[in-house]
Amino acid sequence: MFVARSIAADHKDLIHDVSYDFHGRRMATCSSDQSVKVWDKSENGEWHCTASWKTHSGSVWRVTWAHPEFGQVLASCSFDRTAAVWEEIVGESNDKQRGLSHWIKRTTLVDSRTSVTDVKFAPKHMGLMLATCSADGVVRIYEAPDVMNLSQWSLQHEISCKLSCSCISWNPSSSRAHPPMFAVGSDDSNVTYGGKVQIYEYNENTRKYSKAETLMTVTDAVHDIAFAPNLGRSFHVLAIATKDVRIFKLVPLRRESTTTGPTKLEVQIVAQFDNHNSQVWRVSWNITSTLLASSGDDGCVRLWKANYMDNWKCTGILKGDGSPLTGSSGQPSAMSTVVGSSIQTSQNALNGMSAGRYFFPPLDPPRAGTRCGHLLPPPSLIEHCDAEPVTQPQQHALLPRHNSRVLLSLPEAEEQSF
Amino acid sequence: MEEVDVEPVVTNISGIRPGKRMGFAWGPGDILVYETQNKASGPTGSGCAFIHVVRKDEDIYSPILRKLFNESHHIFVGLQTIKDDLPSKSKKPQFVSISRNYRSVIRACMEELQQAAGELLTKYIHHVSILLAIELIWNLCEVLFIDAAPAGSLLLHLLDWVRLHKSDVDEKAKGVLQSDSPAEHRDYWDVVLSYVLQGRLEDTRKMLMKQAMLQPAAKSMYKLMDSLLSKMPFYNPGGTQTLTEFDVKWRNWHEEVDRYLKDNSFASNQHLEVICKILLGDEDVLLEHKELLSTWYYFLITRLLYCHPTVKPTELHYYAQSSMMMFLDSGVPEPLDSILLAAFEFDIHQVIKDCSIALNNWWFVAHLTDLLDHCKLLQSHNLHFGSNLREFLLLEYASGLFTHHSLWQCAVDYFDHCPEFGRVYLELQIERVPLDTERKALKVLRICEERQMSEQVRSICKIMAMRAVRNNRLGSALSWSIRAKDAAFATLISERFLQDYCAKGTFSDLDLIDNLGSTMLLSDRLTFLGKYREFHKLYGEKCFSDAAKLLLSLMTAKIAPQSFWMTLLTDALPLLEQKEVIFSAEQTYELMYCLEDWTFLFHSFNTNQTQLALARNLASAIVKEGTMQT
């Protein structure tokens, strides 16, 4: 892995959150400077700030995008005890030319009496809904019944979790077998208060969320929590950032038809890593949940990957080396720094030399003058199984020559100009 | 396959202070990191306000490797269509030919890289060395696992393998032959020996001829060598000779060579004596020519050629291990050595495992494993959580392709051929493909539709509809929401169309509205929009009585929203005021009821003009109808 470019975020204070939109073409940043910035990726991969505005009167903890089915919508939450919903307005054409966009506040959600610590949109199949959690231990679920009128949000549920809440995550499963579910984590550090992760599930009959489970084994402060994409499985996978990284499997048990309570969950721990050796602050899954990333007070972002036998391993570490940036948009200096999938380049890092050189001793000694003389194509690719083994070097004999003419054109080559 | 026991890769991020907590965000193909701190701590001033884009894999962005990915995709798809029920005998040649196709794609890539040499060479030298290694390993796997040649043919295949990958001798020979006096060229004996080491005896003889001509005194010695070389038996798998017969013949030849060595026939010419010793497989002499052999595996093949030409596949591992030890002496084997050794040991899983550690992309392991799996060479490792090894690797490879702006289309086919998780991976990945243009959206949509991925189809249409509405492209928004079968949104957009009409008096996107057909039934408001437009058309075509009937039915059948009735009544005005009577008396009564209802509902009394027109029309209609009856 390598740093492809660095973007001068230009926030006047700490950045607390960076969030990609659904398609990965935009991102939003938020900061203690009370502002949110929106960035758009250009054709050449450069990021440009297209909007920057003051959103709150306190540090902005989190910023998050709604699904594009609902348009260009952001939610933010802040120390100022509010959460807010923002919508991009398609402005005048000269704004677009200048690379600017307009965001207007659609609503301020003022129900919390303390700092709002997290805000997350619900999975899109539930409609335009969002959940906030706050330091006073309350989870609030809001809904915009009319997606064309985002100034109307109604508080649908208020769930008291009794413990100061730090993070919330929706279960993304859209399976009919799974009622809406979220997990909330508490950063209360008093271990005697018991489990710091609670799972709530929606009950069709009572039309209320009720607690399905408390993860009793997680007694230390929890800073982040993330459900993995479901992959069509019957169970759920939850990653937790506490004093270590933990991955849990939540298996819904068959519900008896007579009971109306929430689904019972069997909780299994899949993995637990203390490699950070410190508090862990963030956990997050990639799109297909093949990789989990975590960051801790050891100054590292660690990447975790399961092999096909479900063994989890740390496969990559990102850490600051303190060296100054050489430019705001650096490119890899040579191919030797360009390395592949995380697990495969360890030799690289260990030996400090290029993967190619390490992996591959020269097959033939290169001749003077042409460094690649030994790479000349062989006379033929077809083994002469039935011929005398002594063959004359016949140029191009029998070889189904693959030249550029044979190569098919790229499927979307013309798309770029479109 | 055991889990991969390697230390994690450490990537240093300049611009972030060591030990500082980092925040991060996953993106498609990259991860964003930035320095941050506890929520509790106060302002720190500006400082490190940089966000760093950390990329995983640059390979897919190389235009030449992109061709490798594209081309191999077609081979992969071809392989998947080979029917399982064919007898394995008839499948083997197909698998071998597919394996060769994969290799020829690798070769084509290398050729292209060489053509691109010069300024790009330094950039791609890394790719070239990787491709060379990949092709070398693949070729050996093809010989040993896929072709699975038996004793006798096995050595011939291995010889071809050496000759194919150690073609520097031909380059050297060319230099020698093009010189004024080849036999005196300083590389002359290197070429001769290289030919012998590779078992290219015809070439050796031709080369020796040149020397013989220079040394008439030693003519008989050269003649003897020439005859020994020409007599060396090679196994002919297509012939009638059995392996035992060949073995006997070979042993006789070997003894003959040995006799000439022992009676010092070549003692006066050190070069010829060395050749003679090589022909006898003298390991010490072979090892004196490490330079020419260059690697232990070429040494192994030469050793087999002159000592054990009937080697069986099961015996290979023994000779391979000993050759490696003898050749490397105390040297440490490199990853490539271990991979090839594992192949000689027929340990397929080890080959795949080592390759996935040593190589920097999944292309090779995914395709090779898939092919070996089709050859039924992998024990199935079906486990409770993951899928099998083949699928695991294909999913990894295809997921990588999905981050590329055009290669994602190839990835679709890979996911299609992963029975367990392919579909759900595709669902997760394809909905993230940026829908930059309508054309791209249609492309993505088609892929989803072909696979009955109804939720993704709905979502894409909805995204496009929402985007169009935001940009005030109502026609496009309407057609996307019809495609999404999104009634609520269709209603909303129809409403917009009607508002637009009320404001401007004309419709936009007539093509679309005129051709709604049965799709207009998606929502009441859309039906009304379609019908209302139909009214305008009839009116325009001067089919006044049809138009009048339709207009009335829109109100009486409650298709039109009541808020819109006044507009409809106003539309009726010109019809009422025609000289000819269009609305019958009965129809006029109905219109009057509608007007009354509307007036009552909206408390509006500014309807004099309409009332007047209706009354006049009623009068004319009664008169007309009365006249007609009499």
Side-chain angles (χ1 to χ4, degrees), chain A residues 1-9 13-18 20 22-23 25 27 29 67-72 88 90 96 124 148 231 233 281-282 284-286 288 290 293 295 297 299 305 307-311 313-323 325 335 338-342 344-347 356 358-360 363-364 367 375-376 378 380-381 383-385 389-390 392 401-402 407-408 410-412 414-416 418, chain B residues 1 3 7-16 20-22 24-27 30 32 34 36-38 43 49-56 58 66-67 70-71 74 100 103-104 107-108 112 114 123 127-128 132-133 139 160 163-164 166 171 202 206 234 237 294 297 334 356-360 362 381 383 385 387 392 396 405-406 409 424-425 428-429 431-434 436-437 439-440 443 455 458-459 462 466 470-471 492:
Chain A
M1 296 202 280
F2 67 99
V3 178
R5 47 167 50 89
S6 298
I7 308 152
D13 206 334
L14 276 180
I15 299 172
H16 289 296
D17 198 15
V18 171
Y20 263 112
F22 187 71
H23 290 124
R25 302 307 280 270
M27 65 166 170
T29 55
H67 193 278
E69 276 184 21
F70 305 110
Q72 296 297 306
E88 185 184 28
V90 178
K96 248 184 185 168
K124 68 170 190 299
M148 295 312 285
L231 299 183
R233 297 176 294 216
W281 292 94
R282 270 293 169 96
S284 171
W285 299 91
N286 70 347
T288 49
T290 49
S295 79
D297 272 336
K305 184 170 178 57
N307 71 3
Y308 76 109
M309 293 167 74
D310 203 17
N311 281 320
K313 285 250 159 191
C314 181
T315 63
I317 296 172
L318 309 177
K319 64 180 182 191
D321 67 359
S323 67
L325 281 175
M335 284 309 282
V338 181
V339 292
S341 304
S342 47
Q344 299 151 350
T345 47
S346 53
Q347 293 88 353
Y358 175 70
F359 173 69
F360 193 71
L363 286 180
D364 297 335
R367 292 179 305 119
L375 301 179
L376 281 173
S380 161
L381 260 184
E383 283 83 351
H384 305 267
C385 332
V390 181
Q392 291 297 328
R401 292 269 299 165
H402 262 281
L407 291 165
L408 299 178
L410 298 179
E412 212 174 283
E414 72 287 356
E415 182 110 351
Q416 289 314 90
F418 195 79
Chain B
M1 190 166 90
E3 60 196 279
E7 286 299 304
V9 194
V10 178
T11 308
N12 287 313
I13 318 279
S14 50
I16 287 183
K20 288 287 170 188
R21 183 150 73 79
M22 279 189 273
F24 62 89
W26 282 109
D30 53 29
L32 302 176
Y34 52 93
T36 186
Q37 262 181 48
N38 259 347
F50 277 92
I51 298 167
H52 309 275
V53 183
V54 182
R55 231 355 115 66
K56 228 178 99 181
E58 192 72 333
R66 209 154 77 199
K67 284 180 181 160
N70 257 314
E71 279 285 276
H74 296 281
R100 284 179 189 164
R103 287 199 293 118
S104 73
R107 283 278 165 187
E112 217 164 296
Q114 282 164 269
K123 200 170 158 197
H127 287 341
V128 172
L132 268 173
N139 196 172
D160 286 333
R163 288 169 195 158
L164 187 63
K166 200 162 158 33
E171 277 297 291
E202 284 300 317
K206 274 185 202 150
F234 279 89
S294 77
Y297 35 92
E334 308 244 0
S356 31
I357 298 172
L359 292 169
N360 75 336
W362 296 100
H381 272 246
L383 285 135
F385 183 89
S387 48
F392 176 83
E396 286 289 343
H405 65 84
S406 71
Q409 292 169 86
V424 52
Y425 268 60
L428 286 170
Q429 295 278 8
E431 58 183 16
R432 303 270 177 168
V433 172
D436 305 319
T437 60
R439 224 184 87 172
K440 191 155 175 201
K443 199 180 263 180
E455 171 48 29
R458 193 200 59 75
S459 185
K462 183 114 204 237
M466 181 57 101
R470 292 180 65 240
N471 288 292
L492 193 138

Side-chain angles (χ1 to χ4, degrees), chain B residues 437-469:
Chain B
T437 60
E438 294 242 334
R439 224 184 87 172
K440 191 155 175 201
L442 289 170
K443 199 180 263 180
V444 177
L445 201 59
R446 201 182 59 237
I447 291 169
C448 295
E449 279 170 348
E450 281 164 4
R451 287 158 184 80
Q452 281 95 43
M453 290 162 49
S454 51
E455 171 48 29
Q456 281 68 26
V457 168
R458 193 200 59 75
S459 185
I460 290 164
C461 295
K462 183 114 204 237
I463 291 170
M464 295 306 286
M466 181 57 101
R467 189 186 297 173
V469 144

Side-chain angles (χ1 to χ4, degrees), chain A residues 21-128:
Chain A
D21 80 332
F22 187 71
H23 290 124
R25 302 307 280 270
R26 317 188 84 180
M27 65 166 170
T29 55
C30 65
S31 153
S32 269
D33 69 7
Q34 309 182 352
S35 74
V36 164
K37 287 177 198 276
V38 170
W39 305 76
D40 284 84
K41 198 177 187 174
S42 65
E43 288 283 310
N44 60 13
E46 302 264 4
W47 287 97
H48 301 283
C49 180
T50 53
S52 171
W53 70 100
K54 182 173 187 288
T55 47
H56 289 275
S57 52
S59 288
V60 188
W61 300 138
R62 296 268 195 165
V63 60
T64 187
W65 295 83
H67 193 278
E69 276 184 21
F70 305 110
Q72 296 297 306
V73 179
L74 283 172
S76 58
C77 66
S78 161
F79 182 70
D80 71 1
R81 308 174 194 180
T82 69
V85 176
W86 310 89
E87 187 176 24
E88 185 184 28
I89 296 305
V90 178
E92 321 231 314
S93 56
N94 56 350
D95 272 345
K96 248 184 185 168
Q97 279 160 12
R98 280 184 293 152
L100 297 176
S101 65
H102 281 294
W103 290 79
I104 61 169
K105 186 192 274 189
R106 288 306 189 190
T107 197
T108 308
L109 307 170
V110 294
D111 303 280
S112 172
R113 262 164 261 150
T114 53
S115 171
V116 181
T117 48
D118 201 355
V119 58
K120 295 278 167 64
F121 283 102
K124 68 170 190 299
H125 66 269
M126 295 170 59
L128 187 51

Side-chain angles (χ1 to χ4, degrees), chain B residues 336-378:
Chain B
L336 181 62
D337 298 321
S338 317
I339 292 167
L340 294 173
L341 183 63
F344 283 120
E345 287 166 345
F346 286 83
D347 188 344
I348 297 179
H349 283 90
Q350 192 66 35
V351 173
I352 294 167
K353 175 189 162 178
D354 286 353
C355 286
S356 31
I357 298 172
L359 292 169
N360 75 336
N361 73 58
W362 296 100
W363 180 88
F364 174 66
V365 275
H367 286 91
L368 182 66
T369 307
D370 173 56
L371 181 57
L372 295 176
D373 191 59
H374 275 88
C375 300
K376 304 256 178 289
L377 287 165
L378 297 173

